[in-house]
Amino acid sequence: MRIVIDADDAGLQLKHDLVDHLETLGVEVIDLNYLGKTPDASYPEIGYNLAVRIKDQEYDRGILICGTGLGMAMIANKVETVYAGPCHDVYSAERLRKSNNAQVITMGARVVGVELAKTIVDAWLEAEFQGGSSKPKVETMHNLENQSFHPETEL
Ligand code: RB5
């Protein structure tokens, strides 16, 4: 699994803590470090840059961190075929994969402590889409997304 991570200024420390944590576990994670190349960037550009790479299938899963996790989720969800949700508890992180099949998790460094954030990321990485009764719901979401991006196509 190819995993990618990035953060805005509010999420930088938590991003570094999570990269260290994942590397300790032997999980390879690519830090896009958009801020390092573009110091004036804020969460929309940083989140968009990561989400486009998920859309292009350069990476399978992404972690985005800002102050609240909200702005990052909002911009990632603007990219076609990319699904993201903010998670500050383990149950939601599992359901984000098992029920919603989202590729991107977002977290707020001003909301969650570092130890909980590590546990949340671990749970999210271990979880997979469960299919079953969740499958038609996710398919409906994809169809409605397609209608939104391409209103000329039939539902
Ligand atoms: C700070 O720019 C803050 O607005 C940002 O990190 C994020 O919380 C937005 O959703």
Side-chain angles (χ1 to χ4, degrees):
M1 191 178 4
R2 299 159 301 171
I3 306 164
V4 70
I5 192 167
D6 214 347
D8 72 355
D9 56 333
L12 267 190
Q13 185 57 53
L14 183 55
K15 177 181 79 168
H16 291 139
D17 291 340
L18 289 175
V19 169
D20 289 348
H21 170 66
L22 291 171
E23 285 178 354
T24 302
L25 294 177
V27 176
E28 189 187 353
V29 56
I30 305 297
D31 180 0
L32 292 178
N33 189 24
Y34 194 87
L35 264 188
K37 301 157 207 154
T38 319
D40 290 340
S42 54
Y43 72 84
E45 299 105 303
I46 297 163
Y48 186 83
N49 175 59
L50 183 145
V52 162
R53 290 159 190 267
I54 297 285
K55 179 186 183 217
D56 293 344
Q57 300 184 348
E58 201 179 323
Y59 300 100
D60 304 304
R61 294 217 209 161
I63 304 167
L64 282 169
I65 304 161
C66 60
T68 59
L70 299 177
M72 286 296 196
M74 291 165 78
I75 188 65
N77 279 307
K78 295 290 178 203
V79 177
E80 192 174 10
T81 74
V82 176
Y83 293 87
C87 293
H88 298 113
D89 66 277
V90 168
Y91 180 74
S92 299
E94 284 179 358
R95 297 324 304 180
L96 188 67
R97 289 292 315 154
K98 290 183 177 180
S99 300
N100 308 113
N101 202 19
Q103 313 99 316
V104 177
I105 187 171
T106 72
M107 280 188 284
R110 295 172 181 160
V111 179
V112 71
V114 60
E115 294 306 321
L116 179 55
K118 290 178 192 172
T119 311
I120 288 167
V121 164
D122 292 350
W124 174 75
L125 281 175
E126 279 169 24
E128 274 303 339
F129 183 52
Q130 66 186 8
S133 63
S134 293
K135 195 161 178 271
K137 297 168 193 168
V138 167
E139 282 170 359
T140 299
M141 193 161 56
H142 290 173
N143 290 340
L144 291 170
E145 174 193 37
N146 196 44
Q147 180 70 19
S148 172
F149 275 97
H150 307 283
E152 71 285 359
T153 56
E154 300 271 325
L155 254 188

